[in-house]
Amino acid sequence: EATSPEDGQNVHGLFIQGCGWTVSGRQMKESAKGVLFVELPVIWMRVIPSAELEDLKRQPGRYLCPLYKTSLRKGTLSTTGHSTNF
């Protein structure tokens, strides 16, 4: 069980598709044969200024990826023009 952070939120229930996860190394790895989805450990997320995000993107080992609400990579466009699944 994760402790409550001073800032940000602990997020649980996220899965990754097409790869594995090493808890000790805190990184992606090759997926196990026949395993498509792997549940991630609790992840701490916090809001950061956009300038800080730009700096973080340039660090080695960073991986930007989409986050979907379901395992289906589709959704319908809302009135704002954004996908309902993204």
Side-chain angles (χ1 to χ4, degrees), residues 24-42:
S24 60
R26 296 183 295 177
Q27 61 186 3
M28 292 184 290
K29 66 176 184 177
E30 290 290 324
S31 60
K33 186 173 182 172
V35 177
L36 185 58
F37 296 102
V38 174
E39 186 171 11
L40 290 170
V42 174

Side-chain angles (χ1 to χ4, degrees), residues 1-58:
E1 186 170 311
T3 59
S4 296
E6 251 182 58
D7 64 340
Q9 293 292 315
N10 286 325
V11 179
H12 61 89
L14 296 179
F15 290 79
I16 53 176
Q17 179 180 1
C19 65
W21 183 259
T22 61
V23 174
S24 60
R26 296 183 295 177
Q27 61 186 3
M28 292 184 290
K29 66 176 184 177
E30 290 290 324
S31 60
K33 186 173 182 172
V35 177
L36 185 58
F37 296 102
V38 174
E39 186 171 11
L40 290 170
V42 174
I43 297 174
W44 171 55
M45 292 188 183
R46 67 181 174 92
V47 176
I48 59 172
S50 58
E52 187 177 340
L53 175 62
E54 292 305 314
D55 289 341
L56 289 171
K57 282 186 198 178
R58 289 189 281 275

Side-chain angles (χ1 to χ4, degrees), residues 17 37 67-76 83-86:
Q17 179 180 1
F37 296 102
L67 178 66
Y68 296 97
K69 294 179 184 177
T70 71
S71 61
L72 301 176
R73 292 184 178 187
K74 64 179 184 178
T76 57
S83 171
T84 57
N85 189 27
F86 193 66

